[in-house]
Amino acid sequence: GNEFCRYVHNKYNIAISPGYLYGVNYENYIRISCCNDVSNITDIIQVLRKMINYYRGCKEINTPSK
């Protein structure tokens, strides 16, 4: 969680929080604040989808085109 959040922030300038900050039941989660323009949020979701697939070991990333 913490390493993933730091990496995403450093590489993409997206601030997300590791879930463990919100309790032990949320260790495998991240928290995202969506206080931004809708088009930016869509871009952020695409980046996070790619990152999650990468960490899961998926070879192909299926993302809808804009």
Side-chain angles (χ1 to χ4, degrees):
N2 213 15
E3 180 183 331
F4 176 79
C5 292
R6 227 182 267 131
Y7 178 80
V8 171
H9 182 260
N10 291 337
K11 184 162 176 88
Y12 299 104
N13 202 32
I14 298 171
I16 54 179
S17 303
Y20 76 84
L21 296 173
Y22 302 94
V24 294
N25 294 329
Y26 301 102
E27 289 179 357
N28 294 323
Y29 296 88
I30 59 172
R31 186 165 195 149
I32 304 167
S33 177
C34 297
C35 300
N36 210 312
D37 184 72
V38 173
S39 64
N40 289 337
I41 293 170
T42 302
D43 293 342
I44 291 167
I45 290 169
Q46 297 303 321
V47 168
L48 292 174
R49 180 179 287 147
K50 289 179 183 181
M51 293 299 306
I52 290 167
N53 284 337
Y54 174 80
Y55 271 87
R56 284 183 174 168
C58 298
K59 292 183 180 178
E60 190 167 328
I61 299 170
N62 296 318
T63 57
S65 55
K66 285 186 168 184

